[in-house]
Amino acid sequence: MKPKILLTNDDGVNSAGLWAAYEALSPIAEVTVVAPATQQSAVGRSISIFEPIRANEIVHEGVAAYAVGGKPTDSVIIGLYALALGPDLVVSGINIGENLSFESIMTSGTVGAALEAANQGTPAIAFSLQVEDQGDKFDDPRFHRQSFAEAKKVVRDVTRTFLNRKFPSGADVINVNIPSIVRGGYEVTRLSDKLFQTGVERRLDPRGRPYFWINGPLIEDAEEGTDVHAVRKGNISITPITLDCTAAAAHEELQRLFPGEGGREKGKS
Ligand code: MN
């Protein structure tokens, strides 16, 4: 029996990247697509709890899929709990645009879906393809002009590895980023801190009122060993991600600052 994969994304159910992943995975698994009906990039792991969620059955080039009127995280929850798909693995992507650094993984809907799946007990892999021009992320994702050929090989290769074996202990999500032109091989990386130099552009509307665009150039250099550095070099970055964000290194000092009942008693005596 083929293993089961729930495939989702954040660029929406019509994205060429999602269907490239479907083509890569359908020979090796029973793949069910449950993805947002519309573009949901940069919504992170947000969840719709103030409104109902529709999951409409659609057919994309002969393949049945579910278009979810919500977020990537909603799609995972619907797939797991409403459709009861019971997948062996959740795959999110292929995202149009790289998801590198803490900055990106905490805002990315692609990674958000994977984090949700992992938190619900299903291992998850996120795949993102670097864009040659950042503006390409804002075009209609049905017609992305870059080839997914190399990315499809990576999706199949990495996914097959984890259909046959568990994630290394401590890893909840595997975050994979494919350079637009692959010049090297796989590189296991750690997260860089930032992908963009955050900036804001102030403009005036036709009535003279200011409005703002969050915008900034990409960071081109990052430390050796980071995901940003690997993809800039042309390597395929593989980063293990953990859900537990507790800063263990800060524990002792915080305990001294906030000793609690026992500590206060000791202080009195
Ligand atoms: Mn996206």
Side-chain angles (χ1 to χ4, degrees):
M1 217 175 70
K2 275 186 174 177
K4 286 193 265 184
I5 289 176
L6 188 170
L7 175 61
T8 192
N9 75 345
D10 76 355
D11 295 332
V13 73
N14 293 313
S15 169
L18 177 91
W19 291 100
Y22 181 87
E23 282 171 28
L25 296 175
S26 54
I28 61 169
E30 188 190 310
V31 183
T32 308
V33 173
V34 188
T38 58
Q39 174 61 260
Q40 296 291 332
S41 289
V43 304
R45 197 181 157 181
S46 70
I47 178 173
S48 304
I49 50 170
F50 284 88
E51 53 279 307
I53 301 166
R54 308 266 175 199
N56 291 321
E57 284 191 64
I58 63 157
V59 177
H60 177 95
E61 292 177 8
V63 181
Y66 294 91
V68 175
K71 313 291 180 193
T73 290
D74 299 330
S75 303
V76 169
I77 293 171
I78 294 292
L80 296 179
Y81 294 103
L83 306 173
L85 296 173
D88 298 288
L89 204 60
V90 168
V91 171
S92 185
I94 303 166
N95 187 59
I96 296 176
E98 56 270 46
N99 279 309
L100 302 164
S101 80
F102 328 149
E103 182 178 56
S104 288
I105 69 148
M106 294 198 177
T107 51
S108 162
T110 308
V111 179
L115 294 171
E116 181 64 31
N119 218 160
Q120 300 295 344
T122 307
I125 313 175
F127 292 98
S128 305
L129 174 63
Q130 183 188 32
V131 285
E132 278 156 10
D133 177 342
Q134 289 299 311
D136 291 354
K137 292 191 293 195
F138 302 93
D139 289 334
D140 188 328
R142 284 177 297 173
F143 309 111
H144 188 51
R145 61 193 169 94
Q146 272 172 251
S147 167
F148 288 99
E150 201 72 34
K152 279 163 71 172
K153 278 190 235 163
V154 173
V155 168
R156 191 180 305 177
D157 192 20
V158 173
T159 305
R160 185 154 42 198
T161 300
F162 293 114
L163 285 174
N164 293 324
R165 59 177 306 145
K166 284 187 169 176
F167 283 180
S169 86
D172 298 305
V173 165
I174 306 289
N175 189 37
V176 182
N177 280 273
I178 302 129
S180 56
I181 298 166
V182 179
R183 289 187 294 269
Y186 289 113
E187 181 179 340
V188 177
T189 57
R190 66 178 190 276
L191 295 169
S192 190
D193 56 346
K194 281 174 72 59
L195 179 60
F196 296 99
Q197 292 170 38
T198 305
V200 175
E201 279 185 41
R202 181 181 187 272
R203 296 184 182 179
L204 294 180
D205 74 14
R207 294 170 189 89
R209 269 72 177 169
Y211 64 94
F212 302 93
W213 277 104
I214 295 174
N215 191 27
L218 277 173
I219 290 170
E220 294 294 342
D221 57 335
E223 267 179 57
E224 178 91 38
T226 62
D227 53 355
V228 170
H229 189 265
V231 169
R232 296 282 175 270
K233 265 194 312 200
N235 284 342
I236 301 150
S237 168
I238 301 197
T239 316
I241 307 280
T242 173
L243 285 164
D244 183 355
C245 302
T246 311
H251 210 97
E252 262 187 42
E253 191 179 335
L254 269 179
Q255 235 164 7
R256 280 196 297 273
L257 291 169
F258 302 100
E261 288 299 322
R264 272 201 292 277
E265 288 304 312
K266 261 185 250 159
K268 269 184 217 165
S269 64

